[in-house]
Amino acid sequence: MQQHEGIIVQLLAGFYDVLDSNTKDIVRTRARGNFRNKKTSPLVGDIVEFQINDDKTGYITKIKSRKNQLVRPPLSNIDQAVVVTAATQPSFSSNLLDRQLVALAEKQIDAVIYFSKTDLLSNSQFEKLNKIAKYYASIGYRVFFPNQTNKSDILNKIKSLFKGKLTIFMGQTGAGKSTLLNSIDSRLNIETGEVSKALNRGKHTTRKVSLIRINQGFVADTPGFSTYAVFEMPEQQLKNYFKDFMLYSPKCRFRECLHLNEPNCAVKEAVKNQLILQSRYENYKQFIELIRKQKPEYERKGYQKKNGRRFK
Ligand code: ZN
C-alpha cells in the first residue's frame, strides 16, 4: 500500500484530518492502536505518514519526531507565536510579556510582539511605551507597534510572516486578540471568539483544534497556551531566555553567573547603566524566585541535575 505524508490540520471527535503534502487533499484518518500502546497520540501540527484505504479513509502509521509540543492547546511543531500585548485596558504588563517570552523561548518558539490598543494611549503614554517596544526590537524581537497610519501595513507584514510556518496567537484576555485575528482572517476570529466565551463562563468544553491555511503557512485557530506554569526549569536555564542578558553575560566574571549576587557581573552593570531595561531585570529576579519555590515539584518529576550542582 502506498505511503503518504502530510500534516495533521484538524482533530475532531477522534478523527485526524491530514493534508497530504503531495496531492494537497485532506484525508480523514484514524490513528492506529499502536500509538496508544506507546502512550503517544497524534497532535495537530504533527507530520505523519499515513495510508489510504479503498474507501478513501486513512490511518496514520507514523508520527515524525516533533520540534516541540504544547499540552494546552494540544499542538506540535510550532514555529512562532504572535504575542498580543495590550498597551492599555488592561494596562501594559512587562511582567506578563516577559513571562510569555520565556515560555516561548523554552519551547523554541519564535516570538513576535504585537502591541494592541495603542490608539487608546495619550501622546505621552504612546511615546513612553513606544520606547519600550523599541527596546524589545533592539534585542532581537519582531515588534509591531501600530500608529494611526501604519495599521494596514502592519497587518500585511504579520501575514507575510506566516509563510512556510506554523503560527499561534497568544495574549491575555482583553488584549484584543479577536480584533486582530478578525482583521487578519475572519475564519480565525470565529473560532477563537467562541472559545474565549466558553472560557469566560468557566466551561470545560471539548473543542476542535485546527490549522487554517493563510499565505502558504498555517495558523492555529486556538488561543495560545497558558503561561502561568512555565517555570519548570533549572534556575541556571532562565538567563538563557533573556536575549538582552546574553549580550553582556560573556563579560561576567563567572561563566555560570546567575547575575544575582556574583561580583563583576556584566549584566548587573548593564542594568545600572540603563543598557538593559530595569523591568527586565526585576522580572528575571522574580522568575528566579518562582523557580526556587516550584523546585520541589519538578525535582519530583525527575529533572536531571546538571554538573553535580545542587539546586537549593
Ligand atoms: Zn552576571
mmCIF file of all heavy atoms in Angstrom, residues 15 104 190 219 223 248 259:
data_model
loop_
_atom_site.group_PDB
_atom_site.id
_atom_site.type_symbol
_atom_site.label_atom_id
_atom_site.label_comp_id
_atom_site.label_asym_id
_atom_site.label_seq_id
_atom_site.Cartn_x
_atom_site.Cartn_y
_atom_site.Cartn_z
ATOM 1 N N PHE A 15 -11.050 11.854 14.950
ATOM 2 C CA PHE A 15 -10.511 11.788 13.586
ATOM 3 C C PHE A 15 -9.436 12.848 13.399
ATOM 4 O O PHE A 15 -9.545 13.955 13.924
ATOM 5 C CB PHE A 15 -11.622 12.024 12.560
ATOM 6 C CG PHE A 15 -12.605 10.891 12.467
ATOM 7 C CD1 PHE A 15 -13.835 10.974 13.100
ATOM 8 C CD2 PHE A 15 -12.298 9.734 11.756
ATOM 9 C CE1 PHE A 15 -14.747 9.926 13.034
ATOM 10 C CE2 PHE A 15 -13.204 8.686 11.679
ATOM 11 C CZ PHE A 15 -14.428 8.780 12.321
ATOM 12 N N LEU A 104 7.903 30.892 25.593
ATOM 13 C CA LEU A 104 8.080 30.582 24.178
ATOM 14 C C LEU A 104 9.515 30.156 23.888
ATOM 15 O O LEU A 104 9.742 29.182 23.179
ATOM 16 C CB LEU A 104 7.702 31.800 23.326
ATOM 17 C CG LEU A 104 6.207 32.136 23.335
ATOM 18 C CD1 LEU A 104 5.960 33.493 22.698
ATOM 19 C CD2 LEU A 104 5.404 31.058 22.622
ATOM 20 N N ILE A 190 -13.783 33.622 14.270
ATOM 21 C CA ILE A 190 -14.958 32.819 14.618
ATOM 22 C C ILE A 190 -14.579 31.797 15.683
ATOM 23 O O ILE A 190 -15.203 31.717 16.730
ATOM 24 C CB ILE A 190 -15.535 32.127 13.362
ATOM 25 C CG1 ILE A 190 -16.114 33.181 12.434
ATOM 26 C CG2 ILE A 190 -16.592 31.117 13.752
ATOM 27 C CD1 ILE A 190 -16.341 32.702 11.021
ATOM 28 N N VAL A 219 -1.981 28.741 10.565
ATOM 29 C CA VAL A 219 -2.229 29.498 11.784
ATOM 30 C C VAL A 219 -3.221 28.693 12.617
ATOM 31 O O VAL A 219 -4.238 28.227 12.103
ATOM 32 C CB VAL A 219 -2.805 30.896 11.472
ATOM 33 C CG1 VAL A 219 -3.038 31.679 12.767
ATOM 34 C CG2 VAL A 219 -1.872 31.671 10.552
ATOM 35 N N PRO A 223 -6.552 29.823 21.038
ATOM 36 C CA PRO A 223 -5.714 30.761 21.779
ATOM 37 C C PRO A 223 -4.442 30.099 22.282
ATOM 38 O O PRO A 223 -4.430 28.892 22.497
ATOM 39 C CB PRO A 223 -6.583 31.184 22.963
ATOM 40 C CG PRO A 223 -7.912 30.609 22.730
ATOM 41 C CD PRO A 223 -7.797 29.514 21.737
ATOM 42 N N TYR A 248 25.505 40.610 27.245
ATOM 43 C CA TYR A 248 26.523 41.074 28.189
ATOM 44 C C TYR A 248 27.176 39.950 28.992
ATOM 45 O O TYR A 248 28.304 40.093 29.450
ATOM 46 C CB TYR A 248 25.901 42.100 29.152
ATOM 47 C CG TYR A 248 25.336 43.297 28.418
ATOM 48 C CD1 TYR A 248 23.996 43.377 28.079
ATOM 49 C CD2 TYR A 248 26.182 44.332 28.009
ATOM 50 C CE1 TYR A 248 23.489 44.450 27.371
ATOM 51 C CE2 TYR A 248 25.688 45.416 27.303
ATOM 52 C CZ TYR A 248 24.335 45.464 26.990
ATOM 53 O OH TYR A 248 23.843 46.528 26.277
ATOM 54 N N HIS A 259 23.781 36.327 37.562
ATOM 55 C CA HIS A 259 23.510 37.772 37.565
ATOM 56 C C HIS A 259 22.700 38.200 38.787
ATOM 57 O O HIS A 259 21.841 39.075 38.696
ATOM 58 C CB HIS A 259 22.795 38.199 36.272
ATOM 59 C CG HIS A 259 23.264 37.472 35.052
ATOM 60 N ND1 HIS A 259 24.592 37.382 34.720
ATOM 61 C CD2 HIS A 259 22.591 36.783 34.087
ATOM 62 C CE1 HIS A 259 24.712 36.671 33.596
ATOM 63 N NE2 HIS A 259 23.518 36.299 33.207
#
